[in-house]
Amino acid sequence: SDEETADPAGLRTGNPPDEQMAGILQQAAGALENYVANKQVEKKVALTCREIDEKIKAVRDAVAAAYPKGLPEWEVSRMALEEPLEKLNLQGVTESNASLYAFNKEFERGQLVSDRLGTNEKSKVICKLTLKEAGPPPREAIVSEAERNAMAAYYFKRQEELKELADAD
C-alpha cells in the first residue's frame, strides 16, 4: 500500500498491512487475548498449553501472511513470536527457584495438593507462585474494595435514616 503511518519511536517503516490483513491480525490477536483474559477465571475455563500454543501459532501465521517478507529483526512482535515461551519468562520464576503458596503456607516439593486440602473437588483454592527468596506473597483482602464501598454506603444510609428518626421524635 502507498499509505505510510509515522512511527514516533522510529522503529517501523510505517507501511501497514492492507485492511483485510489488519482484520485477520486483529482477529488472531483478539482470540489469544480473550483466551488468556481474567474473565476466563470467572467463567471457570481451564487454560491448556496446547490451546495457548494453537492461538500463538494463529498469530504467527497471521503475521507471516500480513508481512510475507517478514518483520525486521528489531521488531518486538517478531522477537516475542520467535522466542520460545521459556525464554520470555519475564518474572524469572523457574522450577528450581519457585515456591507455591496456598493459605499463606508454602507447599513442599513433591507434596500433593490433596495432602493439604483433601479431595473435595468442589473447593476453590487460590494459589500463588513466587520466588523462594521473596517469601510468602501478600495476603488477599478479606473484603474486596467494591464490597467495602457497598458496606460504607449502606452504613452511611442507615446512619442517616437513624438520624432522621431521632429528629422526627
Side-chain angles (χ1 to χ4, degrees):
S1 129
D2 294 335
E3 239 179 85
E4 284 214 7
T5 309
D7 177 23
L11 295 176
R12 293 175 180 83
T13 61
N15 299 325
D18 62 29
E19 286 184 29
Q20 181 184 4
M21 282 294 138
I24 293 171
L25 281 167
Q26 287 175 338
Q27 183 180 7
L32 175 59
E33 243 177 20
N34 290 337
Y35 186 72
V36 297
N38 289 339
K39 291 180 183 175
Q40 297 292 57
V41 175
E42 295 166 7
K43 294 178 185 176
K44 298 183 181 186
V45 174
L47 303 182
T48 63
C49 289
R50 194 182 97 233
E51 189 71 24
I52 291 172
D53 287 340
E54 286 175 12
K55 303 280 186 204
I56 291 173
K57 184 181 180 320
V59 171
R60 211 178 271 132
D61 293 346
V63 168
Y67 298 98
K69 294 180 182 177
L71 293 170
E73 61 188 41
W74 62 83
E75 176 64 46
V76 178
S77 321
R78 175 183 175 171
M79 289 186 270
L81 290 171
E82 288 181 354
E83 289 291 323
L85 289 177
E86 294 79 30
K87 287 188 178 180
L88 292 175
N89 189 349
L90 302 175
Q91 296 180 350
V93 178
T94 62
E95 186 177 339
S96 61
N97 70 357
S99 291
L100 182 67
Y101 282 87
F103 310 114
N104 215 30
K105 293 186 180 172
E106 183 177 8
F107 274 88
E108 296 173 18
R109 225 170 253 289
Q111 181 182 21
L112 298 176
V113 175
S114 62
D115 294 343
R116 170 127 350 136
L117 306 174
T119 55
N120 185 353
E121 294 179 9
K122 295 183 180 181
S123 298
K124 175 182 176 183
V125 179
I126 298 175
C127 296
K128 294 192 177 181
L129 192 64
T130 64
L131 295 171
K132 277 186 183 176
E133 60 269 8
R139 288 180 177 244
E140 292 281 324
I142 294 172
V143 179
S144 73
E145 192 171 333
E147 290 171 325
R148 191 174 336 124
N149 291 340
M151 287 191 305
Y154 169 79
Y155 287 117
F156 179 77
K157 183 179 175 184
R158 178 85 172 125
Q159 188 177 15
E160 293 296 315
E161 288 173 357
L162 291 175
K163 195 184 292 183
E164 286 176 17
L165 286 174
D167 290 345
D169 289 338

